[in-house]
Amino acid sequence: MEVAVNLELKTLNVKQDITYHNTTNDTLTTIVLNDWNNAFADKNTPLAKRFSDEFYKGFHLAKAVDRGKTTIINLTETNFSALEWERSAQNPDYIVVKLDRKLFPNEKIDLHLNYIVKIPNDKFTRFGFDQNGGMALRNWFLSPARFENGLFVKYNNFNLDDIANAVSDYEVEIKIPNQYSITTDLNSISKDTTNQTYSIYSFSGRNRTDFSLYIEKQNSFRTYDNGSILVETNLKNKKIDEFQRAIIINRVVSYAEKVIGKYPNEKITVSQIDYDRNPFYGLNQLPSFISPFEDDFIFEIQFLKTFLNNYLKNSLRLDPRKDNWVYDAIQIYTMMNYMEEHHRDEKMLGKLSDMKLFKSYNITNLTFNEQYSYYYMLMARKNLDQPLGDPKNTLIKFNEQIASKYRAGLSLSYLDDYLNHDIVPKSIKEFYNLNQFGQSNRYDFEKILTQKSSKNIDWFFKTIIDSRDIIDYKFSHVSRTADSIKFSIKNKTGIYAPIPIYGIKKKEVVFKEWIEPKTKDSVYELSRKNADKIVINYNNEVPEYNQRNNWRSLKHVSLNRPLKFNFSKDLEDPDYNQILYIPTLNYNYYDGITPGVRFHNKTILDKPFNFDINPAYSIKAGTISGSSAFSWNQNYRNSTLYNVRYSISQNYYHYAPDATYLKLNPMVQFRIREKDFRDNRKQYILARQVIVNREESAYITDNSQPNYSIFNARYGNTKTELINHFSFMTDLQLSSGFGKMSGEVEYRRLFENNKKLNLRLYAGTFLYNTTNSDYFSFGLDRPTDYLFDYNLFGRSESTGFFSQQYVIAEGGFKSQLEPAYANQWITTLNASYAIWNWVELYGDIGFLKNKHQSEFFAYDSGVRLNLVPDYFELYFPVYSNNGWEISQPKYNEKIRFIITFSPKTLVTLFTRKWF
């Protein structure tokens, strides 16, 4: 390639020659060239849809100048005759070149290309042009795609660093302005600086699938040479000196060469961009002034993870999307062994583990390596984990970045422990060496492991790698004498996997034995060796679903765990029944500020049974108030019905200045998802009985029954992403005094011109209604909330500030009109359209019908400030049935607002990108 860099236009002019050698046994009529830079061309590419799916709006809202594309000027073959090529709208990130002759096995063909690469802004993926006038480049040029099993591998760019290029030799000549420097992991050949305006750099690389380029005004990279490889890095850490950096880099590089194999290239780059794209998630990411780790340790972890990632990606010739688990397994396994060798005593919480304040927390006792298991288990307990062997692009973001990556390393470490720490290290080295001679795949790695092992390890690939089956063992019977222990094991999930049994005496391991519980009635006998406790999977080698049932005392008959109180949150402790507590502060107009204490058992990992008790004191009312909830979750691993939740909750607060309400809510909820975990469509079916007892109030004169019980059934179907949102919900309510049905459809669309449309259609009708008040009627602008579902600050207020609180429910109008309720039926349409950023125009129309009255046509319009959708919004009425509201007296009392203080609700704004 001859590449001329234009830093002002953010373009690369490329003249490229490709000698394609058909090393397969197939006859080729086409050649596929990856063109991943063109994935940034518009808002409808697969990459753009991926951004939308993960709620990243930066790409959709970006200007044309920030996007990237590839413009092919000409493409010819050996004799410079033009070749046909095609790029489809569905697959804009690769082109298919149609050869004018058949390319037989072992034949070669020359392709000549001229094209212009428009580089995108680095704010999308961190690669691209930056704000300092430089560029960081990866996957920017046209490259032959990987050929395997008789086909070219055709992958879309999903920003996953998994381009499937053919193994190639590169010769690259790059022309850049003199005031800029260039850093690359290719080998340097020459530098021509005779021209006063620009310099020409020449590089080469053999047996590679890709390379990186960094063009900067001021070179931020430093070079370290340990005698076998040049390391160029710009990882940021101003608090450690060059000597410390050199020691750490040499230690990591030497370790990788010792346990994996010699790096095949002369140079490797380890950039801050590489790290930022795939950081080590944990407490090391905290700001330095509160970090529990030393600065040199943080740098070491960051460098270790990034170096190993680049080391393996540049050395292994796997399909990086289909066989991604092999990369992850070797990387994390090597990191774990490195930590065991060099930082064996380092804790997950670093220096915090030594503070007396945290000594009672289980999380402070975990070693640094033990945290990997908990990140995986976080997803397994949510029933969101995925098979390690699944293609990388099918993983939800948290699995792709964290959970599956860590579980892959844990799984390889598990196999290593089971095979006595001998077979796996040798297999990794042999597989690594195999990759220096051509393409490989996961089955080559599996074949090496299987051949070297004297034990049958088919279960490892079938269960651990290619399924999401969970492992869970418990003791079904334990007896002991002074010298021996007899026990049997219950396999709770029916999934076979070998498991280690430990004998513990005063927290010290006195024996460890691997068992293979293949039959249900197997009885095992081991020498006791003075153990006072027998434990399954004590060091968590096996990625086991539940460790709370893994131990038995050999001293006491009782299996009861003592209670343990901890402030705020903690990890699950298998030795205790944990009760967590935290102060709470709530508010409503009638109770005033309501301080309390929340007692619960919700540790960081989800568990089947949860309780949450929150007694509180209402300062304004001078009475006790509060809430409680008890729930049982049942997960289904291999079904679209993936969760059933049984619960009962209670709330006791004031609903008027002089009256309280007690709500009891027994409920069952069925949650349904698509087989594709990345599909954002979610469905639920809910059935509950809402029982409300209200004290009578002198302020409330609606003639409604103070006490009532309502059966409620709902079905919801939602599919949401950045560009499109669609939801549908039906609701049925039955009680002694009324029965009603309603339905709601909501649609949101972000158009290519960045304008946004919101539509909501609501319709409801009474099946029967013998009540004599509007308490249970449909509300036009605000529901009465007789089910006490909404967080209304002043639910009984009809005037004043709190009456202006808006809830998107029932009629959904913003103007307060008369009649405000419908006791027969109602149909409304709510719409809003963004005219600039978060400023929108809204309009509502609808009909409502009351007994003995004709239908009423309602309408309103105004301006909506959609600052954070559904969480913080303001509505300014302009025109409605009331006339020009903006010119009427006390206009400030007509403004409506949405404010949500619930941390749990706000957190979903961030977690939706990951789960």
Side-chain angles (χ1 to χ4, degrees):
M1 286 185 287
E2 294 177 9
V3 183
V5 181
N6 189 324
L7 290 163
E8 290 185 7
L9 298 178
K10 315 296 190 294
T11 61
L12 310 175
N13 293 333
V14 183
K15 179 183 177 183
Q16 181 174 357
D17 298 323
I18 299 173
T19 300
Y20 191 91
H21 184 189
N22 184 5
T23 58
T24 73
N25 296 321
D26 297 275
T27 299
L28 304 180
T29 57
T30 61
I31 293 175
V32 174
L33 301 180
N34 285 322
D35 184 14
W36 275 25
N37 184 74
N38 203 59
F40 296 88
D42 59 53
K43 302 179 182 183
N44 298 306
T45 66
L47 177 62
K49 293 175 182 176
R50 181 89 171 192
F51 284 142
S52 173
D53 191 45
E54 293 180 351
F55 298 94
Y56 171 65
K57 65 171 61 175
F59 186 76
H60 189 92
L61 299 178
K63 300 176 182 178
V65 69
D66 290 327
R67 303 194 188 283
K69 65 178 179 177
T70 305
T71 304
I72 299 176
I73 299 171
N74 59 58
L75 196 165
T76 61
E77 61 130 326
T78 305
N79 58 8
F80 293 97
S81 60
L83 292 176
E84 290 186 28
W85 58 273
E86 62 181 24
R87 175 197 283 140
S88 68
Q90 293 77 21
N91 301 296
D93 31 24
Y94 61 80
I95 67 172
V96 178
V97 180
K98 299 178 180 179
L99 304 180
D100 58 5
R101 63 181 175 87
K102 293 181 178 180
L103 189 65
F104 294 102
N106 211 34
E107 281 193 341
K108 297 181 181 179
I109 188 172
D110 291 333
L111 303 179
H112 308 288
L113 303 95
N114 283 290
Y115 55 95
I116 300 173
V117 178
K118 169 65 177 67
I119 299 300
N121 196 311
D122 68 351
K123 65 183 180 181
F124 307 135
T125 67
R126 301 184 189 275
F127 282 103
F129 70 84
D130 60 39
Q131 304 308 307
N132 299 318
M135 291 182 179
L137 304 176
R138 185 174 293 168
N139 305 153
W140 53 273
F141 56 92
L142 292 169
S143 179
R146 178 186 178 99
F147 190 89
E148 190 173 29
N149 300 323
L151 296 170
F152 282 99
V153 177
K154 300 176 182 178
Y155 288 155
N156 296 122
N157 181 359
F158 290 131
N159 188 30
L160 296 173
D161 287 333
D162 60 351
I163 192 168
N165 286 335
V167 179
S168 305
D169 297 338
Y170 294 98
E171 292 179 6
V172 184
E173 188 178 273
I174 302 178
K175 183 169 71 173
I176 62 171
N178 277 335
Q179 64 268 36
Y180 285 83
S181 67
I182 188 166
T183 304
T184 178
D185 51 355
L186 292 174
N187 304 325
S188 297
I189 297 178
S190 65
K191 176 182 178 182
D192 182 354
T193 58
T194 55
N195 190 288
Q196 295 182 352
T197 306
Y198 58 82
S199 300
I200 299 176
Y201 295 81
S202 296
F203 303 100
S204 69
R206 295 185 60 81
N207 196 31
R208 302 176 65 100
T209 56
D210 201 5
F211 61 89
S212 300
L213 288 173
Y214 301 91
I215 300 170
E216 302 172 291
K217 269 189 178 179
Q218 293 183 335
N219 193 342
S220 63
F221 285 82
R222 299 296 301 270
T223 302
Y224 300 85
D225 186 357
N226 78 334
S228 63
I229 181 175
L230 286 175
V231 178
E232 295 192 311
T233 180
N234 65 348
L235 281 182
K236 299 173 184 175
N237 194 316
K238 296 180 180 179
K239 295 188 177 182
I240 66 171
D241 57 37
E242 289 300 315
F243 183 69
Q244 288 175 297
R245 286 172 183 261
I247 291 175
I248 290 169
I249 290 171
N250 182 67
R251 183 160 63 220
V252 171
V253 172
S254 300
Y255 186 84
E257 290 199 345
K258 178 181 73 172
V259 302
I260 298 176
K262 183 171 176 55
Y263 190 65
N265 306 318
E266 294 179 13
K267 287 197 302 183
I268 187 171
T269 55
V270 181
S271 71
Q272 186 66 41
I273 292 172
D274 290 327
Y275 176 75
D276 290 340
R277 283 179 58 82
N278 287 286
F280 186 91
Y281 292 94
L283 290 179
N284 59 295
Q285 290 181 295
L286 292 172
S288 57
F289 67 91
I290 55 173
S291 174
F293 298 103
E294 300 294 340
D295 294 313
D296 57 346
F297 178 77
I298 292 175
F299 177 80
E300 189 167 2
I301 287 296
Q302 292 175 345
F303 181 81
L304 173 65
K305 187 175 191 295
T306 312
F307 175 81
L308 287 174
N309 181 70
N310 293 357
Y311 196 90
L312 294 170
K313 286 292 176 70
N314 294 337
S315 304
L316 301 184
R317 309 300 177 219
L318 295 158
D319 181 328
R321 178 166 295 179
K322 187 172 64 175
D323 300 334
N324 179 64
W325 78 266
V326 180
Y327 288 106
D328 289 343
I330 297 176
Q331 180 195 23
I332 302 301
Y333 167 80
T334 304
M335 287 184 67
M336 293 175 67
N337 288 341
Y338 178 90
M339 292 298 297
E340 193 70 19
E341 183 171 323
H342 295 285
H343 300 281
R344 186 183 185 90
D345 297 328
E346 189 67 55
K347 297 292 187 181
M348 177 181 174
L349 292 188
K351 292 179 288 188
L352 296 180
S353 297
D354 299 325
M355 297 177 64
K356 290 184 179 180
L357 180 65
F358 300 107
K359 282 293 184 182
S360 63
Y361 289 85
N362 186 41
I363 195 172
T364 62
N365 299 318
L366 296 183
T367 65
F368 195 83
N369 278 345
E370 285 181 296
Q371 67 182 300
Y372 295 114
S373 176
Y374 283 94
Y375 279 113
Y376 152 68
M377 197 55 63
L378 182 71
M379 297 304 279
R381 292 286 187 88
K382 292 181 181 296
N383 201 5
L384 285 172
D385 56 306
Q386 294 171 271
L388 296 179
D390 280 6
K392 191 175 183 178
N393 64 306
T394 65
L395 303 179
I396 58 179
K397 188 175 181 179
F398 194 93
N399 286 333
E400 180 261 316
Q401 292 263 305
I402 305 174
S404 292
K405 188 182 292 288
Y406 290 174
R407 192 195 171 194
L410 285 168
S411 299
L412 198 58
S413 181
Y414 168 28
L415 184 65
D416 183 33
D417 202 310
Y418 175 65
L419 298 178
N420 203 27
H421 304 285
D422 183 37
I423 303 302
V424 171
K426 291 179 180 178
S427 298
I428 290 175
K429 286 184 175 180
E430 184 174 325
F431 178 66
Y432 185 83
N433 291 332
L434 175 68
N435 278 263
Q436 310 316 307
F437 302 100
Q439 288 185 173
S440 66
N441 57 50
R442 59 170 283 188
Y443 300 107
D444 295 321
F445 186 47
E446 294 175 11
K447 183 178 179 181
I448 292 170
L449 285 167
T450 302
Q451 288 178 343
K452 287 188 175 298
S453 174
S454 60
K455 300 179 181 179
N456 185 341
I457 57 172
D458 291 345
W459 57 269
F460 178 77
F461 306 109
K462 179 182 177 183
T463 300
I464 305 298
I465 303 300
D466 288 327
S467 81
R468 60 189 301 266
D469 294 334
I470 56 175
I471 302 165
D472 191 10
Y473 288 108
K474 64 177 288 187
F475 290 111
S476 59
H477 173 74
V478 176
S479 62
R480 80 279 190 197
T481 66
D483 301 318
S484 65
I485 308 168
K486 277 188 178 181
F487 62 90
S488 55
I489 293 287
K490 180 178 180 181
N491 186 339
K492 295 192 67 178
T493 62
I495 303 302
Y496 164 74
I499 197 88
I501 304 296
Y502 285 83
I504 308 297
K505 181 176 176 62
K506 296 181 179 179
K507 296 187 177 181
E508 295 292 328
V509 176
V510 294
F511 70 78
K512 174 186 176 182
E513 296 286 343
W514 281 90
I515 65 170
E516 302 181 20
K518 294 183 178 179
T519 59
K520 293 182 179 180
D521 54 354
S522 296
V523 177
Y524 304 89
E525 185 170 359
L526 301 175
S527 175
R528 181 170 177 175
K529 298 182 181 179
N530 296 319
D532 54 32
K533 185 188 295 185
I534 184 171
V535 184
I536 301 170
N537 196 25
Y538 179 72
N539 280 335
N540 208 14
E541 296 94 335
V542 182
E544 198 181 4
Y545 188 73
N546 179 20
Q547 288 190 293
R548 285 177 56 79
N549 54 16
N550 278 15
W551 65 276
R552 285 287 184 91
S553 171
L554 300 176
K555 296 194 302 184
H556 307 291
V557 177
S558 174
L559 298 179
N560 292 329
R561 297 179 179 87
L563 283 177
K564 182 181 181 182
F565 288 84
N566 281 123
F567 178 76
S568 188
K569 281 277 189 181
D570 193 11
L571 280 177
E572 193 172 86
D573 191 334
D575 294 334
Y576 292 90
N577 286 317
Q578 292 159 289
I579 296 180
L580 307 169
Y581 61 93
I582 189 170
T584 61
L585 195 65
N586 293 312
Y587 175 82
N588 71 57
Y589 184 50
Y590 312 115
D591 289 293
I593 295 174
T594 310
V597 181
R598 178 181 169 218
F599 299 92
H600 64 97
N601 70 333
K602 295 179 181 178
T603 55
I604 294 173
L605 300 181
D606 290 354
K607 56 182 64 175
F609 174 72
N610 289 294
F611 66 83
D612 195 326
I613 303 172
N614 187 187
Y617 181 75
S618 301
I619 291 179
K620 186 174 182 180
T623 61
I624 298 297
S625 61
S627 62
S628 65
F630 304 86
S631 65
W632 177 266
N633 281 285
Q634 189 168 356
N635 287 331
Y636 296 90
R637 302 281 299 176
N638 300 306
S639 170
T640 52
L641 171 63
Y642 72 99
N643 174 266
V644 178
R645 185 172 185 263
Y646 308 90
S647 66
I648 183 168
S649 61
Q650 168 268 330
N651 292 281
Y652 182 72
Y653 292 102
H654 281 78
Y655 76 97
D658 60 341
T660 61
Y661 75 91
L662 172 65
K663 172 188 172 182
L664 293 177
N665 185 24
M667 178 172 65
V668 58
Q669 184 178 42
F670 305 87
R671 293 162 61 184
I672 303 164
R673 66 182 172 203
E674 302 299 301
K675 290 183 179 179
D676 176 8
F677 282 21
R678 285 195 59 85
D679 194 319
N680 284 334
R681 183 178 301 281
K682 298 291 186 291
Q683 301 177 67
Y684 71 88
I685 300 170
L686 176 151
R688 61 176 178 166
Q689 191 74 29
V690 180
I691 303 166
V692 176
N693 287 331
R694 295 185 298 161
E695 290 182 343
E696 292 189 7
S697 168
Y699 293 87
I700 306 299
T701 57
D702 59 14
N703 298 320
S704 62
Q705 291 292 326
N707 303 326
Y708 50 89
S709 177
I710 301 171
F711 171 76
N712 181 212
R714 291 179 181 172
Y715 167 74
N717 187 324
T718 301
K719 185 175 177 67
T720 186
E721 58 184 80
L722 179 69
I723 307 301
N724 281 305
H725 166 88
F726 178 84
S727 65
F728 170 71
M729 188 191 78
T730 60
D731 184 90
L732 171 68
Q733 298 176 24
L734 301 173
S735 74
S736 59
F738 72 91
K740 62 197 299 191
M741 284 187 66
S742 63
E744 177 184 313
V745 178
E746 186 174 14
Y747 176 72
R748 296 177 187 168
R749 171 72 177 179
L750 181 61
F751 296 104
E752 287 201 32
N753 62 2
N754 296 336
K755 303 298 184 182
K756 184 164 64 174
L757 174 68
N758 295 266
L759 296 174
R760 176 180 176 269
L761 176 66
Y762 179 82
T765 184
F766 277 91
L767 304 176
Y768 56 92
N769 186 2
T770 60
T771 62
N772 58 359
S773 78
D774 278 325
Y775 184 65
F776 299 107
S777 297
F778 295 108
L780 182 63
D781 69 273
R782 174 164 139 155
T784 57
D785 192 28
Y786 51 86
L787 295 177
F788 291 89
D789 285 339
Y790 304 113
N791 185 26
L792 295 175
F793 300 120
R795 60 179 58 253
S796 298
E797 298 303 294
S798 57
T799 59
F801 176 74
F802 290 108
S803 70
Q804 295 171 235
Q805 183 181 0
Y806 177 66
V807 175
I808 305 174
E810 297 186 359
F813 269 57
K814 291 78 183 176
S815 294
Q816 297 174 328
L817 308 177
E818 289 295 336
Y821 299 99
N823 59 25
Q824 252 187 300
W825 57 261
I826 185 173
T827 301
T828 61
L829 176 66
N830 315 122
S832 65
Y833 184 76
I835 55 174
W836 177 80
N837 206 351
W838 34 263
V839 179
E840 303 178 7
L841 299 179
Y842 74 79
D844 306 310
I845 59 172
F847 291 89
L848 62 156
K849 177 69 169 67
N850 284 286
K851 295 177 182 178
H852 314 302
Q853 296 180 19
S854 59
E855 296 87 351
F856 175 72
F857 175 65
Y859 60 90
D860 71 1
S861 60
V863 177
R864 174 190 189 189
L865 301 186
N866 191 7
L867 302 173
V868 183
D870 302 334
Y871 301 98
F872 182 41
E873 303 178 16
L874 294 174
Y875 296 86
F876 297 86
V878 175
Y879 188 74
S880 70
N881 294 77
N882 294 330
W884 288 98
E885 299 199 44
I886 197 168
S887 62
Q888 295 173 3
K890 298 183 179 179
Y891 178 74
N892 61 305
E893 295 181 6
K894 298 176 180 289
I895 298 170
R896 307 294 295 275
F897 65 87
I898 292 176
I899 297 179
T900 300
F901 291 120
S902 168
K904 182 178 179 181
T905 306
L906 292 171
V907 161
T908 59
L909 286 173
F910 305 97
T911 58
R912 65 184 185 179
K913 298 179 180 180
W914 291 91
F915 302 149

